[in-house]
Every structure is written in structure tokens, then in C-alpha cells.
Amino acid sequence: MAFHCNFNNTDLSSFTLSKCLKFNCRTSSLFPRTLSIQRVSPFVVRSIATSSDSNGDGGTSAESEGKKKKLSEQSSWEAKDSEGNDYLYRLGKESENMNIAIGARAGVIDDLFTGDFLGKDSDIVFDYRQKVTRSFEYLQGDYYIAPLFMDKIAVHIVKNYIAHLLDIKVPLILGIWGGKGQGKTFQTELIFQAMGILPVIMSAGELESERAGEPGRLIRDRYRTASQVVQNQGKMSCLMVNDIDAGLGRFGNTQMTVNNQIVVGTLMNLSDNPTRVSIGQDWRESDITNRIPIIVTGNDFSTLYAPLVRDGRMDKFYWQPNIDDIINIVNRMYEKDGLSKNDVISIVKTFPNQALDFYGALRSRTYDNSILKWVNEIGGPESVGSILLKRKKKENLPVFVPPKQTVEGLLESGYSLIKEQQLIMESKLSKEYMKNMED
């Protein structure tokens, strides 16, 4: 025979075994004296007779265990997932840190543990993680978008978003390659802004890490983040990797690292299975990711792993702007300076076969003399540090007057840049310093 003692309003810290036995004996002489005290929960003390298997209400101990009281009807501590497994155990297994990523997030487990002192979400960088998309608010003004570039980007993105409606093989990756400084990244960003796309952007510098597997996981994580943008914000998104050949390309005797191999394998796997992406957790049938187009830029895709750039996985686009594209882009660049289109044409024809960034460097070079004049006016190079960094909060910097752009000034800057280019190509001081290396 057994009985249950519920002490919901009793201080159990002073409740000892002797008091329980004394209470038991006073209650009835029919209860056995051989007892074992078992603490079932913080507010329940169970006294079970060792000489009998029946309980006070006629049920067995097994039935009593089956009727174990839940902590709370609203508690998620005992919740089960769709497969019948413990929900919190599964979350902890999938998360890299349960306390930060899962355990203290409002709405995931009991709000009792989230508090209001530091906000409902105790993960300090959680909000930052959700802002990995690029909004391009800095692109203010009127820019020229090459029609051929626009068509290629738009077709690739739309094809991937309606791939389930098309009876064709749609490559997930678009590789944009070409010469240096031809505006591949900038043109792509202008198209994203025009189409209302919120991309997740990576660089080649993130494709290597001191920990094996970290860049591959980062790519999968960023891919899933872009998928969440589509699902949660209702806006188109894509994953963009700039200068991918700088991170994955093989140049001469460069070493192939484990992370290089894992990144290549990850991109190949994404191309083959764009809706099933793992970031380390168990695979589940219900875990379906939105198909997200990937755009990569580079200078020489012949340095990449050949199976990655095959036609089934990557659609290639070689970008080399023609003379009309260059004139239109540079004209928009100098339009706010008051230069006419004929002035721009004369500048472009004076410096042919130059990349687009060369014409942007012309304008930057014309500022050099004006900046030097401004430095001398505020006290010289010796006073720059105190004026720029140590001035009072409400103290404004001396007024800087930008130079007026003229064709003559731009041509002078262009000849200076051409001279620097020729010196680099002709001098080759590394051969002068290491004459014996080629012997």
C-alpha cells in the first residue's frame, strides 16, 4: 500500500525522513513502517511501501507513473516534434550553442527565462545576423545599366524562381567573368536595386578559414538566409560571391586547401540539390529550402575546378563592355560635373582600351591638388591629426571646395595614370632584386 503526500504550500527544506515517518504513523496504523522516500518533482513527495505494489486509489505503480503530472500545460519542456522525439533535445542537437541560438529566444521555450531586462532575445548579435542582406541605399543618383548585362541577370534570376514550371535543366549558378575593373560587381548591384532584390553578398576572403569546414558551412548558412528573406519578407533574394577565382582558383603552384575542396563541393551540391541544404542538423523530409539563384564574379574561370563550371551547374557570361557602353557609363559618371557627352567621347577616345575603373580614377586624381591645398590652409601636414581627430564634437571641419572638372584637368590626370601603368609593366623590380632566381 502506498500514499502520495502533496505539499504544495510546505517548506520542504526542513521536511526530513523522520518527520515523514512520524506523520505516516499518526495517520493510520495500517500503513507499513518500511518506507522509501522518493522525490518526484520539486513540489511532490511520494512515499511508496516496499511491501505492496498497489497505490491508494487501487491502481498500480506503473499506472501512477503513466499519469505523471506535467510541469505546465503551456510549457514546452515536454513538447514532442512531428516525429515524436523530444523537441528541446532536437533543438539542442541542431544548434551550435543552445544558450545563445535557441535556449533564450522568446517564443522558442518558456518566456519565463527570456526576461525583459535586456529584451526578449538575449542573443546580442541575432538582429545583426538578420541584416546580412544588402539594400544599396548608398547608390544615389542616375546610373547607366548596360542592356545586355540587365537581360542576362534578369533571365537567370527569373529562370531559377520559376524552375519548377519549366521542363528544362536550369543552372543554379551564373558566372560573370571578364577583365579587371569592367564594372561587373557594380552593374550587378545596380540591377539588384532596379529589380528590388535583397541579395546576400560574400567575398573571396570568406572562403578560407583556420578551421576546416567553416567556409563551406558559411556558404550553406548564407544560402539559407537568402531563402528566409524570400519566405519571411516576400522579396526576391540571391547569393552573390565576388571574385570567386581569387579564393578558389589555382594559380601556378598555389596550394589547394581542405577548405577549397569543401567550398567547391558545397557549391556543386547546392547546384544539384538547391532545395535541400544542411547546416549540420539531421536531414528531415519537411526541411525544404527555397531555390535561391547564385551569382559569382571573377576574372578567369579557367582556374576553377572544371566540374564546377560545367554547363549543367553554371551558366557563364563574359562581360566586355563595347565602346557605346563605356561612353554611356562614363557620361552618367561625369554628368553631375557639367561635362557634355562630346567631352566624354573625347576623353574615352584619348585613352582607348582602358577599363571602366580607369575613368573613375581620373576624377579621383583631379582632387589631389585641391586636397593638398586644403591641408596647407588648415596648418599643414603636422596639424592634420589634431584637426581631423581631436577637434571638439560640435566643431566643424574647415570647408573643402571640390575642384571644377574640366576636360584639360581630366586629360592631365589620365596621362599621369598611364605613366604609372607603364612604369609598373616596364620596371619589374622583382627581377632586378632577384637576378639569380632564374639561373
Side-chain angles (χ1 to χ4, degrees):
M1 184 177 294
F3 72 97
H4 301 274
C5 300
N6 293 332
F7 299 93
N8 293 328
N9 298 320
T10 305
D11 184 10
L12 297 180
S13 60
S14 61
F15 193 80
T16 61
L17 176 61
S18 60
K19 290 182 180 180
C20 183
L21 292 174
K22 186 183 294 185
F23 174 79
N24 183 23
C25 295
R26 288 178 181 176
T27 303
S28 173
S29 61
L30 298 177
F31 288 100
R33 292 180 176 252
T34 307
L35 301 172
S36 63
I37 304 300
Q38 181 179 0
R39 187 165 183 172
V40 180
S41 74
F43 302 105
V44 178
V45 174
R46 177 174 294 167
S47 176
I48 303 176
T50 58
S51 59
S52 175
D53 291 332
S54 61
N55 54 27
D57 57 359
T60 63
S61 299
E63 293 175 353
S64 177
E65 290 292 338
K67 297 178 181 179
K68 186 164 120 177
K69 185 177 178 181
K70 291 184 65 176
L71 296 176
S72 170
E73 292 298 328
Q74 298 179 347
S75 174
S76 59
W77 286 105
E78 301 174 6
K80 305 293 182 182
D81 62 8
S82 60
E83 299 177 358
N85 299 321
D86 183 82
Y87 183 62
L88 286 178
Y89 175 78
R90 195 196 79 196
L91 288 178
K93 183 179 179 182
E94 294 174 1
S95 173
E96 55 186 87
N97 188 326
M98 184 174 178
N99 291 329
I100 294 179
I102 298 295
R105 188 175 303 168
V108 177
I109 59 175
D110 304 76
D111 291 340
L112 172 65
F113 300 99
T114 59
D116 292 319
F117 181 69
L118 293 176
K120 286 295 184 183
D121 204 332
S122 64
D123 184 1
I124 298 175
V125 298
F126 179 74
D127 292 334
Y128 171 75
R129 289 176 184 157
Q130 305 308 308
K131 296 177 182 178
V132 295
T133 57
R134 198 76 62 85
S135 60
F136 307 112
E137 295 178 355
Y138 63 92
L139 293 178
Q140 302 292 332
D142 191 13
Y143 297 94
Y144 176 83
I145 300 177
L148 181 62
F149 210 111
M150 180 70 162
D151 294 343
K152 195 65 179 181
I153 297 288
V155 168
H156 176 73
I157 291 177
V158 172
K159 278 176 64 176
N160 275 276
Y161 273 96
I162 63 172
H164 60 286
L165 304 176
L166 305 177
D167 190 21
I168 56 174
K169 173 69 174 178
V170 179
L172 185 71
I173 305 176
L174 172 63
I176 304 173
W177 65 289
K180 58 181 178 61
Q182 299 292 2
K184 297 181 290 296
T185 299
F186 188 65
Q187 287 282 300
T188 305
E189 292 178 351
L190 291 176
I191 295 172
F192 288 157
Q193 185 189 45
M195 296 181 64
I197 297 174
L198 295 180
V200 177
I201 298 182
M202 298 181 60
S203 68
E206 298 178 274
L207 301 183
E208 187 55 70
S209 172
E210 60 184 7
R211 302 195 316 186
E214 189 68 25
R217 179 187 176 92
L218 180 62
I219 290 178
R220 297 191 298 272
D221 190 22
R222 296 282 176 85
Y223 185 91
R224 291 175 65 97
T225 300
S227 175
Q228 292 174 2
V229 171
V230 176
Q231 181 176 348
N232 299 336
Q233 301 185 32
K235 296 183 178 181
M236 290 191 298
S237 183
C238 70
L239 176 63
M240 183 174 181
V241 184
N242 287 317
D243 305 310
I244 190 172
D245 55 335
L248 299 182
R250 300 295 301 274
F251 301 95
N253 296 322
T254 55
Q255 181 181 7
M256 172 66 74
T257 66
V258 172
N259 279 323
N260 293 152
Q261 296 173 330
I262 293 177
V263 168
V264 170
T266 298
L267 291 174
M268 292 171 62
N269 181 260
L270 288 175
S271 300
D272 298 336
N273 302 281
T275 59
R276 298 297 304 278
V277 184
S278 170
I279 56 172
Q281 80 276 25
D282 294 335
W283 290 101
R284 299 192 303 275
E285 293 297 329
S286 59
D287 187 11
I288 303 298
T289 306
N290 293 304
R291 182 187 179 104
I292 299 298
I294 299 176
I295 298 176
V296 299
T297 64
N299 298 119
D300 188 1
F301 282 178
S302 66
T303 61
L304 300 179
Y305 185 58
L308 175 62
V309 299
R310 71 175 178 84
D311 295 332
R313 293 192 176 105
M314 181 185 294
D315 189 11
K316 276 78 67 179
F317 172 51
Y318 177 71
W319 170 240
Q320 179 64 47
N322 55 36
I323 186 65
D324 292 332
D325 291 329
I326 294 176
I327 290 175
N328 288 323
I329 293 174
V330 177
N331 182 46
R332 293 289 178 86
M333 188 187 306
Y334 289 118
E335 198 171 34
K336 55 187 175 183
D337 295 322
L339 296 181
S340 65
K341 191 170 184 178
N342 291 330
D343 295 335
V344 172
I345 293 175
S346 65
I347 294 173
V348 172
K349 290 185 177 181
T350 303
F351 306 107
N353 303 322
Q354 292 290 339
L356 278 171
D357 61 350
F358 174 85
Y359 304 102
L362 293 182
R363 189 171 184 273
S364 176
R365 181 62 71 94
T366 59
Y367 272 66
D368 291 355
N369 292 331
S370 297
I371 292 176
L372 181 60
K373 179 180 177 182
W374 181 76
V375 169
N376 292 327
E377 289 177 352
I378 63 176
E382 299 81 3
S383 305
V384 169
S386 60
I387 294 177
L388 293 180
L389 303 179
K390 297 181 180 180
R391 69 184 189 279
K392 296 179 180 179
K393 281 187 176 180
K394 296 182 179 180
E395 185 180 352
N396 295 326
L397 285 172
V399 178
F400 172 75
V401 180
K404 180 176 177 58
Q405 300 294 342
T406 61
V407 176
E408 293 75 14
L410 292 171
L411 292 177
E412 182 182 354
S413 299
Y415 290 124
S416 175
L417 291 175
I418 292 292
K419 183 178 179 180
E420 296 291 344
Q421 292 178 354
Q422 293 175 347
L423 283 174
I424 291 176
M425 298 303 296
E426 294 174 359
S427 297
K428 296 183 179 179
L429 293 179
S430 60
K431 292 185 177 180
E432 182 69 22
Y433 294 151
M434 297 179 287
K435 295 180 179 179
N436 298 326
M437 293 296 293
E438 298 179 356
D439 295 339

